[in-house]
Structure formats: C-alpha cells, structure tokens
C-alpha cells in the first residue's frame, strides 16, 4: 500500500530531532540549545538540518544577529509541543496504572525566586515521592504565564501586573527592592548619601521596570531619583546583578536576595534606606489543567505549607 507523505513522515520521523528543534525554538540560539541538551553546537546544527531535510521545509532562519522560526517552523513547534505532551502523558498514565506517584512537575519561575517555603515544599515532595520528576524552568514572568495557560507548566511563580484571565493567583510572598551599586561605581562605600545624590547617575534594571508593568513601584522611585537610562536591562536577576557589580550603573534588587552580597562587599546599598518599594510575587495555577498524580501531590504539599505560614511570615525584607 502506498503511504501518503504525512503517513511516511509519521513512520520515519525521529523524535529526537523534534526534541532538538523544541530546544532551539525555546532557547533562541544553537549555543543555548546545545547547553540545555548537553550537545555540542555542530550536533545541534546537524540535527536541525536532518529534520529540515525530513520535513522538506526550512524551519529556522539563522544569520548574524538573527534567529527566527519560519512560518513552517512555527506550525511545527505547536504540533511538536503536543507530541511531547502526549509522550509524557503516556508515561505518566502507565505509572499511575501501576499505582505510583510518578510523572513530572514543571515549575515556571521568574528569576530569582528565593523562598524558604518553596525550598521546604520541594524537599518534602522529593522525600515522599522519589520516583516523580521535577523540572524548574527560569523565564520572564509573561512567558511563565503563557506556559501555564497553555498547559505546559504545572504552576508558575512570578510577578503579576494585572489579572490573568483563566488563571488563579495568590500572593506567594512579598519582597522589597533597594537600589545598589558595585565596587567600580563612584558612590560605592559612601556613607550619608541622600536620594538626590543619585540624580544623573546611569541605571540598569529589569525589562519589567516600566510604568504599568510588574515593577511599576520601582520605576516610579527610579524616576523620582533622577536616574538616567536604563543603560542595560535583562529579564534575569542574575544578569541585572552582574551589570550592577560590574559598575555599569545603579540598579534595583530584592533586599533578601542580595543580603549576602552586601555583607561580602560585592554590593553597596543606596538611598532610600527607609520605605523601599514592595513587590508581590504570585503563585498561579491553571484550574482547567488535567493534573497528573505528581502535580496533584506537589500542589497539596505546597498548599499545606502556605496554610501553615501566615501571610505576614512570607514578607522578606524590612
């Protein structure tokens, strides 16, 4: 019997090629995809070429400073994600049929989520269900919400600047932001500074540091201080911290996250020292999602931890 092109593709397509393609689509570069997969760049490029030859379409446009999915690549990505989900669900269904709490729990987190409550929930979950898998993915808050809404994450812990339709949100913890500079900066180590002393200095910050977004309170304070810029931005706290330590400018960071850096002399706290802006970090879940037993078990542990910790004990800062 003669097979149609679609049937032939279904018979011959190697799942590993789709896995590499998904890593490329998510990472946005061959280098970062290779790091995620533990493969060298030539192996990633060769896998992409084999997949493009197999499907008969160019899937990614690559060039100097340019990396984008083609229309065919966008269409394949959506289907490949469904295939990936089906493979995972099949493995989880068999484990559940055997009476095991197995499967994967995927946490979509903004950087840098620092919470003893989350750490304890992870410990308890692994101790109680050692066969279950945990995947923690770090991404911007908007991407975390998209992953959760599409059913590609079990839960999200991120910033939230407005209600997200279809998702349930609750405050996970509250953190406070302060301004900091690094050792190369002219204000580093200076005592008795006032907010006015920051005027005209260059700023670095987060991509959500803009009016109407999740860090609007930080934006308002930056504008009141008269900082210039930002001259550098990132969605990752570690990279904002890197720019501050390197002396590119003054930037905002959560007080509890960088306390050790301040104590070690890697960062210097700048005004205002009183009444720093407060930012709520939210826990979000998708009530429409079909959860595997591992996801249900992890959420039960996390909910029990939240119930045992009153909101005031989940305030990290002053």
């Amino acid at each position: 019997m003669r097979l149609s092109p679609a049937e032939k593709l279904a018979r011959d397509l190697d799942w590993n090629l789709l896995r590499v393609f998904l890593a490329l689509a998510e990472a946005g570069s061959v280098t970062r995809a290779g790091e995620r997969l533990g493969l060298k760049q030539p192996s990633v490029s060769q896998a992409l070429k084999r997949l493009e030859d197999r499907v008969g379409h160019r899937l990614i446009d690559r060039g100097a400073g340019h990396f984008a999915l083609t229309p065919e690549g966008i269409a394949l990505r959506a289907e490949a994600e469904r295939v990936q989900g089906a493979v995972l669900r099949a493995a989880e269904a068999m484990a559940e049929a055997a009476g095991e709490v197995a499967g994967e729990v995927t946490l979509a987190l903004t950087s840098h989520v620092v919470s003893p409550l989350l750490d304890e929930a992870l410990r308890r979950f692994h101790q109680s269900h050692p066969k279950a898998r945990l995947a923690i993915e770090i991404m911007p808050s908007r991407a975390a919400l998209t992953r959760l809404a599409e059913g590609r994450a079990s839960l999200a812990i991120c910033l939230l600047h407005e209600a997200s339709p279809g998702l349930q949100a609750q405050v996970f913890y509250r953190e406070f932001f302060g301004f900091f500079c690094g050792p190369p900066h002219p204000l580093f180590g200076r005592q008795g500074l006032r907010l006015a002393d920051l005027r005209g200095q260059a700023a670095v910050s987060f991509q959500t540091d803009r009016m109407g977004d999740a860090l609007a309170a930080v934006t308002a304070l930056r504008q009141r201080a008269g900082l210039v810029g930002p001259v550098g931005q990132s969605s990752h706290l570690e990279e904002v911290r890197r720019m501050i330590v390197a002396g590119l400018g003054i930037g905002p960071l959560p007080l509890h996250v960088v306390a050790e850096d301040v104590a070690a002399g890697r960062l210097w706290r700048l005004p205002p020292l009183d009444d720093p802006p407060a930012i709520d970090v939210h826990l979000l879940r998708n009530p429409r999602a079909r959860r595997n037993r591992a996801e249900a078990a992890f959420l039960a542990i996390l909910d029990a931890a939240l119930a045992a910790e009153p909101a005031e004990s989940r305030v990290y800062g002053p």
Side-chain angles (χ1 to χ4, degrees):
M1 187 176 87
R2 183 182 296 274
L3 298 177
S4 70
E7 291 171 325
K8 189 173 185 301
L9 178 64
R11 184 193 67 182
D12 297 339
L13 186 59
D14 183 350
W15 160 247
N16 285 319
L17 298 182
L18 285 179
R19 186 171 64 90
V20 173
F21 172 68
L22 285 177
L24 280 164
E26 293 178 359
S29 82
V30 173
T31 301
R32 289 194 293 271
E35 291 171 352
R36 289 188 181 189
L37 297 168
L39 299 175
K40 294 182 179 179
Q41 292 184 36
S43 298
V44 176
S45 297
Q46 290 167 11
L48 174 61
K49 184 178 186 307
R50 288 201 303 273
L51 179 60
E52 290 179 331
D53 291 342
R54 182 71 69 187
V55 301
H57 295 284
R58 185 172 178 81
L59 301 174
I60 298 177
D61 283 328
R62 290 186 290 159
H66 177 72
F67 186 100
L69 298 183
T70 64
E72 295 85 353
I74 293 172
L76 180 61
R77 179 181 184 178
E79 297 303 326
E81 287 170 346
R82 293 188 182 95
V83 172
Q84 183 181 51
V87 171
L88 291 173
R89 287 193 296 273
E92 292 161 3
M94 288 185 287
E96 290 181 7
E100 301 173 349
V101 175
E104 184 169 272
V105 179
T106 302
L107 310 184
L109 307 185
T110 189
S111 73
H112 181 289
V113 172
V114 175
S115 167
L117 187 147
L118 176 61
D119 296 344
E120 178 62 14
L122 292 171
R123 185 194 68 79
R124 290 181 185 176
F125 176 72
H126 178 67
Q127 187 178 54
S128 302
H129 310 293
K131 291 188 177 181
R133 302 181 308 278
L134 277 164
I136 299 178
E137 301 182 2
I138 306 301
M139 62 193 72
S141 293
R142 292 180 187 274
L145 295 173
T146 299
R147 287 283 185 92
L148 184 62
E150 293 177 349
R152 294 190 289 133
S154 310
L155 58 85
I157 300 177
C158 59
L159 303 181
L160 186 67
H161 75 284
E162 61 184 11
S164 189
L167 301 180
Q168 292 177 346
Q170 67 186 111
V171 175
F172 193 57
Y173 65 84
R174 172 169 289 187
E175 61 187 3
F176 292 82
F177 276 72
F179 284 143
F180 296 89
C181 65
H185 198 276
L187 297 183
F188 188 88
R190 287 182 54 181
Q191 302 281 354
L193 292 172
R194 299 169 300 164
L195 190 63
D197 295 319
L198 276 56
R199 183 167 297 278
Q201 297 288 338
V204 297
S205 197
F206 296 87
Q207 291 177 347
T208 48
D209 177 359
R210 50 180 177 252
M211 295 307 295
D213 214 325
L215 291 179
V218 173
T219 306
L221 183 59
R222 175 169 56 80
Q223 293 177 347
R224 184 158 62 90
L227 295 175
V228 178
V231 299
Q233 284 186 308
S234 176
S235 60
H236 287 261
L237 183 145
E238 293 84 353
E239 302 309 320
V240 174
R241 174 191 171 278
R242 187 197 306 274
M243 290 186 282
I244 297 172
V245 171
L248 274 66
I250 293 169
L253 293 168
L255 301 181
H256 74 294
V257 173
V258 298
E260 290 185 7
D261 285 323
V262 174
R266 292 184 289 267
L267 289 170
W268 182 257
R269 175 87 185 275
L270 297 167
L273 303 182
D274 298 323
D275 195 24
I279 302 295
D280 288 334
V281 177
H282 288 79
L283 167 66
L284 295 104
R285 64 191 81 194
N286 186 344
R288 301 186 305 277
R290 176 182 174 272
R291 297 191 179 97
N292 60 42
R293 293 180 66 182
E295 291 172 320
F298 180 77
L299 284 170
I301 290 172
L302 193 58
D303 283 338
L306 283 167
E309 290 278 351
E312 57 268 20
S313 68
R314 290 183 271 121
V315 177
Y316 309 140

